[in-house]
Amino acid sequence: MSPFPARRLLSSAAFCAAIAGFSVALAYGFDLPTQRTDLSDTDAKRVADVTRPTTDFSKAEQYEAMQAGGATSIDPVTHRAFSHISANIPFEEEQNFKLGNALFKKLWVSAPSSTQASDGLGPLYNARSCMSCHVNDGRGKPPENGAASLSMFLRLSRAAATPEEQRAIASADVLNFPDPTYGHQLQELAVPGLASEGRMAIRYTEETVTLGDGERISLRRPTYSATDLAYGPLNAATTISPRVAPAMIGLGLIEAIPEADILAHADPDDTNGDGIHGKAAIVRDHQTGKIALGRFGWKAQNATVRDQSAGAFSNDIGISTPDKPDAHGDCTQAEAKCRTMPTGVQKRLGNEEAPGPILDLVTFYSANLAVPARRKASFPETLRGKQVFYESGCISCHVPKFVTRRDSSDKAQSFQLIWPYSDFLLHDMGDGLADGQQVGLASGREWRTPPLWGIGLTKTVSGHSFFLHDGRARNLTEAILWHGGEAQKERDAFASLPRDDRQALITFLESL
């Protein structure tokens, strides 16, 4: 891949090319590294050798069971399997992890209150704590039987409508534009004295898919709407996108993957003709304002764990931080009463409801949640499933291995061989999974490849087996069958497999 040119202001035509998925250079116009600078020649060769996909499925690869390198948790598998500290964290840093854990679980309350350390909830919000969405640090799920949604929400936005707005997105200054009344996210809860914004409604229809051997699988297709809207209708241009909370494990290791190694898998023009158009998400670091590679969130809209944490504080709980300083959270100017509600800012502690030290501790906790060790990695059926997974082409997007930066600022995450099974790029997943919502350079059909590590423990940790960005898939088979677009060929390969091979592939996934 050739180096990116220096940043330049893109024209409207270049912006349109970006959204259409034209070349990386044309679409982005930013200077991002295409070569690692943290390795000696000897180490670079070692990394290339160890990350090359295997062709030997007779036995497990060396270190394969330790899928997060030295950070891998070998604690017993229970419902707390995602809540352990990275195994190689120095003892003197364990206190920060425990403090971050306490803040992650903290239930925030509305202002003013006598519990000033927890003051500042809302005024509009979706949850009172981080743990409310990420139960046991695991995956969220859709609401059932009319219950309120705590671990799933609706993103609201519209696409650029003017040349100035187009340039703002092309320059990565904004990702998209909020609904003028309801903001970036539909808030189902509110503090006393204020009406919540509305509710998410889901309607499912069942569709039957017949596999190559005649087995019939039922898929549920969701339709989403925002109901009981308290402040008037949504803007006609607003799109709604459902998102479940992702699992929290391995985030610091993902951040430690060198940009160049992720970009090496990008091929937006499909120059190799394999049908895979992996595209990098280009965003701005919330703290520094500098251009960075997006790698967190369903559309890779955040560059760092800190960005992800600050965004959740603001949008989900309505808590201000140094990176997202508006103490009224997602309240818009159209929601006049919301903008006049008391906030939890206490000047003696700083200008935000969650000052810098709180955001730092929650970020540290989030970055150092351990990935559990593999189960049954060397069992014959697991190895057979791994071979089927590889030979079906799944690793075109679910890239097995990376080696993190040797010069990472966190020594516990430095130079680790990790197995996330993701390329962290954006891919067109077809009409079936399309949400119609543009997020930066991600179109309404594109999603980031989610990492697969820990996926086999979803039921154990989260108490359910719902997958994909909106939890529509009730098991891993359904999740695969929803793949389309760039993944259509791999989906069809899975659908045409004999039953025993399909089950072996699922067994492999459950071992991760």
Side-chain angles (χ1 to χ4, degrees), residues 280-334:
I282 305 300
V283 299
R284 287 192 184 274
D285 184 304
H286 298 175
Q287 185 179 23
T288 67
K290 295 180 179 179
I291 288 297
L293 178 69
R295 59 183 84 192
F296 297 103
W298 285 105
K299 297 217 175 191
Q301 66 268 25
N302 287 314
T304 65
V305 180
R306 183 184 174 102
D307 285 355
Q308 190 79 356
S309 300
F313 265 125
S314 178
N315 292 323
D316 301 343
I317 312 177
I319 297 293
S320 57
T321 65
D323 296 13
K324 295 279 187 177
D326 188 345
H328 287 97
D330 198 32
C331 295
T332 68
Q333 296 301 323

Side-chain angles (χ1 to χ4, degrees), residues 398-412:
H398 290 286
V399 174
K401 296 173 279 186
F402 289 92
V403 172
T404 60
R405 296 192 65 87
R406 184 179 275 286
D407 58 357
S408 173
S409 58
D410 189 329
K411 297 303 180 185

